[in-house]
Amino acid sequence: SQKIEQNSEALNIQEGKTATLTCNYTNYSPAYLQWYRQDPGRGPVFLLLIRENEKEKRKERLKVTFDTTLKQSLFHITASQPADSATYLCALGSGGYNKLIFGAGTRLAVHP
Amino acid sequence: GAGVSQSPRYKVAKRGQDVALRCDPISGHVSLFWYQQALGQGPEFLTYFQNEAQLDKSGLPSDRFFAERPEGSVSTLKIQRTQQEDSAVYLCASSLVQAGGNEKLFFGSGTQLSVL
């Protein structure tokens, strides 16, 4: 069955450092991958989308890579800030009507 | 409003009660999704609407779960004879396009359902 794995343990980093989150998947060939941020008590908020034919995408301090051979996506936040502390979800889709399959998320804590 | 609105924000139900959860998507959004999120887990797909048509209900866990979107805007997720395992956050999301995929989803804040 399809499986998406994200770092199950919380990631703790110091302010100003780069945070790197991993999303691995098996038994799936996604056409695109999305990253969302979720704060406690709130719904997920869209951050970035990357398609299967793209290697890398950037938006301000965010960078996403997508390796369909390794079946892995890496999500980077450079110059991290305490306000970046949240849970980050990766989600895979295969076209059609955008039915997304989500990972369990990784909790990021950025310490001053 | 500017975003997806869900109500109620919290719902406590006694086991066996029926509940109805409401979602107001962003105006003009064709696609509407319901997801279920257990504590510490990612959202899990329940069902999808394109306008008023329910095109995919493969994620509904049992026939106690029923969703509708009669006029292609507001949607209601109904759970009959609630059970403790139904306790979760129910998220609604909408997106603009109806085909082609890869559009971002706009989520509401969810309804937290607790079944006692």
Side-chain angles (χ1 to χ4, degrees), chain A residues 51-66:
Chain A
R51 296 177 177 82
E52 59 179 335
N53 60 349
E54 298 174 319
K55 296 291 185 186
E56 182 179 297
K57 231 17 175 342
R58 291 175 185 261
K59 179 183 176 183
E60 298 172 350
R61 295 185 295 112
L62 309 180
K63 185 178 86 170
V64 174
T65 62
F66 193 10

Side-chain angles (χ1 to χ4, degrees), chain A residues 34 36 46 49 98, chain B residues 29 94-96 102-106:
Chain A
Q34 301 183 10
Y36 288 78
F46 173 83
L49 177 150
N98 201 28
Chain B
H29 277 196
S94 69
S95 68
L96 185 59
N102 71 53
E103 269 290 311
K104 61 184 178 182
L105 297 186
F106 293 84

